[in-house]
Amino acid sequence: MLARSDDHGASFTRVADISRLGKFINLSAETVACDDFEDLPTCNGQGQFLWGSGEYRRSSVSLAFQPLALIEDPSSLRYFTGMDGDAPRWSTEEADAIPLFDENCVGELSVAYSTHLKKWLMTYNCLSNRGILLRTADQPWGPWSGTVKLFDPDLDDGYCHIMHVSYAERRCDTVFDPGRENESGGE
């Protein structure tokens, strides 16, 4: 959902639901200049790309776009539905949104544009391929590269150092909240 605060974060008011079908539960948003992209839905000034995953660690990533001036109007959202040659296609229906790649394990995600690399960078965690994964693309809609593992908790001294391992598995750290010694941490 989208919420607004008029008192510097002391309280929030619900503005609108972003996802009604569950494809955009975990979000990463990036504000862009509309003039930097030729094939966007109607947009003047600035717009916002929204990359979203659905069911936690059981879905892939989809893309939506909306003009920033209309951020409080969910009917202004347009969902990426694929390519028509070199041009992206957009729909007003969340049901039409397609995955940007096939990896149905995404949890938290983050997307940003690197001006140095001139690439979009997406990082996320994944249940079946534990760690922090990276994909790159020239355009927000892709095509997205294969994965590179940036952080492997087994190989990069994550577990037992900065991430807790359940005491049911082994006792190698004290990195846990009180009463949660039998819950492993997640990257």
Side-chain angles (χ1 to χ4, degrees):
M1 77 169 189
L2 176 66
R4 177 182 64 235
S5 176
D6 296 317
D7 55 10
H8 306 288
S11 65
F12 290 86
T13 303
R14 183 185 200 119
V15 175
D17 290 327
I18 298 297
S19 186
R20 294 188 185 275
L21 301 179
K23 291 186 179 186
F24 292 85
I25 306 275
N26 303 293
L27 293 175
S28 180
E30 186 76 14
T31 300
V32 297
C34 296
D35 290 343
D36 290 346
F37 299 89
E38 293 179 16
D39 298 309
L40 293 178
T42 303
C43 180
N44 293 313
Q46 293 184 307
Q48 179 172 256
F49 285 111
L50 295 170
W51 292 267
S53 63
E55 187 178 354
Y56 187 66
R57 293 190 178 180
R58 288 185 171 82
S59 64
S60 198
V61 178
S62 297
L63 175 67
F65 178 83
Q66 75 182 140
L68 201 56
L70 300 175
I71 194 169
E72 293 189 13
D73 178 5
S75 71
S76 71
L77 282 163
R78 298 296 180 264
Y79 301 94
F80 175 72
T81 64
M83 299 296 291
D84 187 6
D86 291 334
R89 289 189 316 262
W90 303 94
S91 171
T92 59
E93 302 298 321
E94 182 180 354
D96 296 336
I98 64 166
L100 298 176
F101 46 82
D102 184 24
E103 189 152 40
N104 294 319
C105 62
V106 176
E108 293 85 5
L109 69 148
S110 178
V111 182
Y113 185 75
S114 168
T115 56
H116 297 292
L117 298 174
K118 296 186 179 1
K119 296 270 185 195
W120 288 93
L121 309 174
M122 179 185 299
T123 58
Y124 56 94
N125 59 17
C126 188
L127 186 58
S128 60
N129 189 3
R130 295 302 298 250
I132 302 299
L133 306 176
L134 167 74
R135 288 180 183 260
T136 64
D138 293 331
Q139 296 294 334
W141 43 84
W144 288 88
S145 70
T147 58
V148 173
K149 191 172 281 192
L150 292 179
F151 173 71
D152 184 318
D154 285 313
L155 300 177
D156 298 326
D157 286 333
Y159 294 128
C160 299
H161 295 94
I162 61 171
M163 294 170 59
H164 177 61
V165 174
S166 169
Y167 277 6
E169 293 179 38
R170 62 184 168 185
R171 290 178 183 251
C172 59
D173 65 71
T174 57
V175 186
F176 60 88
D177 292 330
R180 298 182 72 185
E181 59 276 356
N182 290 322
E183 298 177 41
S184 290
E187 57 282 352

